């Protein structure tokens, strides 16, 4: 019974993570890339206010649930839950060490005073974001297979 509930939680959590990252890649990111620098900085700051505290909790909670399931379930699903946990850890590592430092730089800017020699972080942020999106999509897929086999 507890593994069933945890399996649902792992699938829902990793699904939300993958869905949010996919939506950002599909819609938000192209809009940000199309904006002039001042609008981009303002919008990035605005959008990040809610995501920054929420996403780490979702990613790490889902990863921890996958670790618990890897310990509690039988052989094949256990390996899949462990794999999903590693993929979510990858999302967290890319976010923490790649996207978040860029976010901090953008947050520190005044949108009305973007320096003329400003180095646009959007191409690099996009590459890291697409990597973590791919990891999250793989993670939810692996979780779904684990739940079906469990």
């Amino acid at each position: 019974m507890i593994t069933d509930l945890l399996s649902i939680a792992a699938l829902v959590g990793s699904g939300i993570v993958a869905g949010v990252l996919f939506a950002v890649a599909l819609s938000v990111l192209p809009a940000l890339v199309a904006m002039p620098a001042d609008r981009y900085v303002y919008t990035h700051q605005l959008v990040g206010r809610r995501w920054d505290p929420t996403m780490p909790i979702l990613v790490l909670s889902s990863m921890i649930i996958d670790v618990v399931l890897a310990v509690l379930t039988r052989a094949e699903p256990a390996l899949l839950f462990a794999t999903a946990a590693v993929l979510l850890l990858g999302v967290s590592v890319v976010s923490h060490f790649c996207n978040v430092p860029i976010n901090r730089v953008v947050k520190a800017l005044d949108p009305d005073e973007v320096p003329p020699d400003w180095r646009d972080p959007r191409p690099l942020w996009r590459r890291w974001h697409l990597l973590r999106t791919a990891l999250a999509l793989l993670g939810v897929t692996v979780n779904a297979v684990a739940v079906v086999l469990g």
Side-chain angles (χ1 to χ4, degrees):
M1 174 70 167
I2 188 71
T3 56
D4 291 338
L5 293 174
L6 288 173
S7 295
I8 292 167
L11 191 53
V12 169
S14 62
I16 291 170
V17 169
V20 166
L21 294 178
F22 181 78
V24 168
L26 183 68
S27 182
V28 176
L29 190 51
L32 291 173
V33 168
M35 293 177 181
D38 61 336
R39 287 188 192 156
Y40 158 71
V41 169
Y42 173 77
T43 305
H44 188 121
Q45 291 170 351
L46 190 63
V47 170
R49 286 184 190 153
R50 299 287 189 267
W51 294 125
D52 291 350
T54 306
M55 288 305 289
I57 293 168
L58 285 170
V59 174
L60 294 174
S61 296
S62 299
M63 183 192 71
I64 290 167
I65 293 168
D66 276 325
V67 169
V68 170
L69 284 165
V71 172
L72 294 179
T73 58
R74 57 187 175 82
E76 192 173 10
L79 181 59
L80 292 168
F81 285 125
T83 301
V86 169
L87 290 164
L88 288 170
L89 176 62
V91 171
S92 182
V93 167
V94 170
S95 295
H96 184 72
F97 290 105
C98 303
N99 292 93
V100 169
I102 294 170
N103 292 349
R104 287 188 187 121
V105 169
V106 173
K107 280 182 186 179
L109 288 172
D110 180 345
D112 295 325
E113 295 183 23
V114 177
D117 62 342
W118 178 65
R119 189 170 161 193
D120 191 343
R122 288 176 280 193
L124 183 60
W125 195 95
R126 179 182 182 271
R127 282 194 294 274
W128 290 122
H129 181 73
L130 293 176
L131 174 59
R132 68 184 179 174
T133 301
L135 292 169
L137 290 169
L138 286 169
V140 70
T141 302
V142 172
N143 266 332
V145 173
V147 169
V148 167
L149 293 177

